[in-house]
Amino acid sequence: MSALSSNWDRRSIFRAAAGLGAAGTLAACGGNNGRGGGSGSGKQLTQYFHAYGEAGVEQAVKRYAKAYTKADVSTQWITSNDYESKLFTALLTKQAPDVFEFHPQIQLVKSGQVADLTDIIAPVKDDFNAADIKSHTFDGKTYGIRMIDDPQFFFYRKSMLEKANVSVPTTLDELIEAADKLTTSKVKGLFLGNDLHAIELPLIWSAGAEPLTEKNEIGYHTDAVVGGLRRLRKLFTSGNLLLDAPTDFWDPSAISQGLCAIQFCGMWAMPAMQQALGDDLGVFAFPKVGSSGRPSVYNGGWSMFVNAKGSNVDAAKEYVKWLWLDQKKYQEDFGTSYGFHIPPRTSIASQAEKLKSGLPAEGVKLFNTYGHFDNISWTQAMFSAWDGVISDSVRKGGDPEAALDACDKKINRELKKLFG
């Protein structure tokens, strides 16, 4: 997940996918259309992007489009706080984009909304991170092309940990203890995001569980996950957690402005943090939860999809192939020039000089060692159900077992709809 504009929450995209089931009209989008450079072909394509927070991304995206000669490509750069609702509303209208960025979601496949891209990716498939291919594949067909991988982990102020005599946490209990020791009258020990939803999947993985099993059955309801939820409740009520930051977890300002000593965030924010804090930064994975746990890193990111219900499917596929498969220079530029992201193609990632040393290299190592990727079968309804678990058991102090039981019912209904 790239750094986002200050009024945008990645979690809402999954809830918004339900908008495919309801009619609507497209609301106005911000930014000029960034139309391409007049190919003379007569072909017109429109692509949707959410407003990345890093300076220069919009200009780069429009520069790439302008360089394409086989169609005029216009860019809708959606700066408002509801990219996802505008996207899914637009997909129901004649103004639907031909190409759009999003995340792998099984409903998009089952509804016939996204085109099969297996044929264009096949020649370079082996150059992609295998996990990125898997997360975009259903029934042997690949439906999206990953543009960037965005690992998420903890950033910490080295000087603050040293002053408080705190070691880098390796367990959730140690993280909670560190938050206590690091909290002062002016600084909170830890920031997990304003609603804690960003750490849902890392909590499951670090407890040694999976959201869903390989057979698409519930995998998260374990004693270790229950224990983790109880520990998070203790943390939530401790007074050591930053809960009212001006912006959410994806923005580096909480740690950069000295509001906390440790912040959960993404690698995209690393350059901005380094600019503010210099070398006073370290990173570590979400620590193990329970005796059978393991560290984990959630690899978010963005992918490019072709609207299978559009009128220019073949032309759109050709453009996507040109930009996100053929133009390695643009792919590396997109990944490393505007915040730090890991290119999903091995050949590009291996030559990205900005990621080879220092803190970026540490982030890449965490990505390669502890990384977990999106599961195409984990839907927006499942995310919403798990939002409820966090709300009920951590924020409100309810029984985690009861919260998970209620979640199980919702997710089993969803699984039955999807898989019978």
Side-chain angles (χ1 to χ4, degrees):
M1 169 180 84
S2 166
L4 308 176
S5 59
S6 60
N7 54 7
W8 200 89
D9 179 358
R10 178 213 197 269
R11 282 287 171 255
S12 60
I13 61 172
F14 295 100
R15 290 188 280 276
L20 283 171
T25 57
L26 176 62
C29 301
N32 69 60
N33 67 12
R35 183 163 298 286
S39 68
S41 67
K43 293 179 181 177
Q44 308 286 334
L45 298 175
T46 299
Q47 60 181 355
Y48 270 26
F49 279 79
H50 82 280
Y52 287 69
E54 304 94 343
V57 187
E58 179 181 4
Q59 291 77 11
V61 166
K62 292 177 179 177
R63 185 173 71 250
Y64 308 153
K66 190 174 182 179
Y68 189 60
T69 60
K70 294 185 178 180
D72 290 339
V73 182
S74 64
T75 302
Q76 289 289 352
W77 190 257
I78 301 177
T79 57
S80 57
N81 62 358
D82 53 354
Y83 169 78
E84 67 289 345
S85 63
K86 286 184 176 180
L87 169 64
F88 284 102
T89 299
L91 287 173
L92 299 169
T93 72
K94 292 182 179 179
Q95 289 76 40
D98 301 288
V99 175
F100 59 91
E101 63 167 5
F102 203 59
H103 310 275
Q105 284 278 286
I106 197 170
Q107 300 97 318
L108 295 174
V109 176
K110 288 191 167 252
S111 65
Q113 187 68 65
V114 290
D116 176 9
L117 304 182
T118 308
D119 57 334
I120 65 172
I121 203 171
V124 293
K125 179 179 178 181
D126 291 343
D127 189 35
F128 274 81
N129 187 312
D132 277 321
I133 296 295
K134 181 179 180 182
S135 67
H136 292 70
T137 299
F138 181 72
D139 278 353
K141 298 178 180 179
T142 303
Y143 288 91
I145 295 175
R146 193 65 137 186
M147 304 183 295
I148 46 175
D149 283 324
D150 282 327
Q152 300 170 24
F153 31 62
F154 285 102
F155 292 81
Y156 67 93
R157 296 283 299 274
K158 291 180 178 180
S159 60
M160 290 185 178
L161 268 67
E162 184 177 349
K163 183 178 180 180
N165 196 27
V166 171
S167 300
V168 174
T170 60
T171 68
L172 181 57
D173 284 339
E174 290 177 3
L175 181 65
I176 293 170
E177 292 169 11
D180 182 52
K181 292 179 180 178
L182 291 163
T183 297
T184 70
S185 59
K186 297 181 179 180
V187 178
K188 293 294 186 182
L190 181 63
F191 182 45
L192 299 176
N194 286 327
D195 59 14
L196 310 188
H197 292 161
I199 63 163
E200 290 171 9
L201 291 178
L203 176 71
I204 295 170
W205 290 318
S206 283
E210 294 288 340
L212 298 175
T213 68
E214 288 289 337
K215 295 181 179 180
N216 285 316
E217 297 171 343
I218 287 172
Y220 59 78
H221 197 153
T222 67
D223 291 343
V225 171
V226 171
L229 290 167
R230 295 191 194 281
R231 302 303 287 162
L232 283 180
R233 172 61 182 176
K234 178 183 177 182
L235 175 63
F236 184 78
T237 58
S238 67
N240 302 323
L241 199 61
L242 178 63
L243 294 170
D244 54 357
T247 54
D248 213 341
F249 84 100
W250 39 259
D251 187 274
S253 61
I255 193 169
S256 297
Q257 295 176 7
L259 302 180
C260 63
I262 303 175
Q263 175 179 344
F264 188 78
C265 193
M267 190 164 163
W268 59 82
M270 197 177 280
M273 287 188 192
Q274 289 180 307
Q275 184 175 4
L277 303 173
D279 294 331
D280 190 24
L281 272 175
V283 290
F284 63 93
F286 197 97
K288 62 183 285 188
V289 177
S291 59
S292 61
R294 66 216 167 164
S296 70
V297 169
Y298 178 26
N299 292 323
W302 290 88
S303 307
M304 192 53 63
F305 298 88
V306 170
N307 178 13
K309 298 181 179 180
S311 56
N312 301 300
V313 175
D314 289 340
K317 287 178 64 174
E318 190 173 359
Y319 170 65
V320 167
K321 176 183 180 297
W322 174 83
L323 179 52
W324 298 111
L325 297 178
D326 297 342
Q327 305 302 313
K328 285 190 172 185
K329 183 178 179 180
Y330 290 155
Q331 292 159 41
E332 181 175 353
D333 179 65
F334 190 72
T336 62
S337 296
Y338 319 97
F340 288 154
H341 320 267
I342 298 177
R345 295 182 67 172
T346 305
S347 61
I348 300 175
S350 64
Q351 67 183 24
E353 292 295 330
K354 295 178 182 179
L355 306 182
K356 286 186 177 181
S357 61
L359 199 65
E362 292 183 45
V364 172
K365 184 177 180 180
L366 291 177
F367 167 88
N368 288 329
T369 307
Y370 303 119
H372 292 265
F373 291 68
D374 285 316
N375 183 333
I376 196 171
S377 299
W378 186 257
T379 68
Q380 85 282 352
M382 297 176 193
F383 265 110
S384 294
W386 247 90
D387 288 351
V389 171
I390 295 293
S391 177
D392 292 344
S393 64
V394 179
R395 300 183 69 89
K396 298 177 183 177
D399 176 26
E401 282 284 8
L404 287 172
D405 286 343
C407 181
D408 291 350
K409 293 179 181 177
K410 296 175 182 177
I411 288 183
N412 275 324
R413 283 199 298 268
E414 184 77 357
L415 290 170
K416 188 172 182 179
K417 280 195 298 184
L418 292 171
F419 303 109

